[in-house]
Amino acid sequence: MSTVAASEPTGLAHAYLLDGRGGAERLDWNGIERWTPSDGALWLNLDYTAPDVERWLGLHSKIEPLIRDALLDSDPRPRAAAHGDALLLIVRGINLNEGAAAEDMLSIRAWIEPHRVVTLRHRMSRSLKAIAAELDRGTGPTAVGDLTALLVERVLELVVTRVDILGDAIAACEDQVLLESGGELRAQLADQRRRAIALRRFLAPQREAFGKLAQIQVPWLDPNARSRIVESAHRMTRTVEELDAARDRAAVTQEELQSKIGEATNRRLYVLSIITTVFLPLGFVCSLLGVNVGGVPLQHADWAFWALCGAFAIVVGVQIWLFRRRGWFGGTRRSASLPGLPELEERASERTRR
């Protein structure tokens, strides 16, 4: 009996009966119900939110309730766990669906038995779609172990690509720091850091899941598939390390940008302070001489204005000389109490001779 009503959309993305040579035969719900392990390896890819899939999982899947609850968890963390000769595998893949953020990683839940693989997802997965396309071309997996290793590799490929893109974006920001320090660059760095943190939330436990998967002993996982999973686990570890490095580089670049902005602000304030210091006494004298009271000297002397300008020039010159002497214009003034490098070298040589 079919598990799908006549007018009900199906959650069966595809069902393949592997032929052991890289190809497969497509099955519908009726074909799935007639399948037996002696027919060959069966791969089901289902949307776990569809009503017909919910009915099949509850009535016909023969999956234990505890495992079924783990497969249907609303927000599962990546993990791998053996249950007898079967395997529960939950991984996170890059979300490449239209209008979605890549860091909003989609979950792929897999229940793997010696002759059957059930993968569950809600959003479309490019990794699962690529494996299905290979089966249609006759170049896909030949057995359950091969399918498991290929699933891990396909998920990992997209993860590595996304981490590389993030690292390149952060490297571009590092180069831009040398040329600009605008608010747009700060926003870009903050966005890249948020993306790295979002990715790491799932990639860190996924590294542990791949490492544990490489150590699980199940009879249907042949040496070739196991070696591929071990290599994927090592690659996952390197990818997480690169993600951590990219996140740290973004933090350092952001701090460097903040420091550069602070230095530019301090230089501007420093120039304004110098200008204020120079003109403050001049402004005081001008204000004093401009008061509207009697008794201001030299009000009617023709030479008084030029004499005042000359006095002002002398005062400004003395101020600039003092500023340069104190190193306020970028010069260096070594403190008399601190010995210079030649003196330190001479003292060190004297101790050596002694």
Side-chain angles (χ1 to χ4, degrees), residues 111-129:
W111 174 246
I112 307 171
E113 301 170 349
H115 299 283
R116 184 180 66 169
V117 178
V118 180
T119 56
L120 302 170
R121 91 288 181 275
H122 176 49
R123 294 171 289 185
M124 193 273 290
S125 168
R126 292 284 183 89
S127 302
L128 297 176
K129 188 176 181 179

Side-chain angles (χ1 to χ4, degrees), residues 46-63:
L46 310 173
D47 180 358
Y48 61 86
T49 62
D52 59 337
V53 173
E54 293 179 358
R55 286 195 300 270
W56 182 83
L57 288 173
L59 301 176
H60 305 287
S61 66
K62 299 180 182 179
I63 299 176

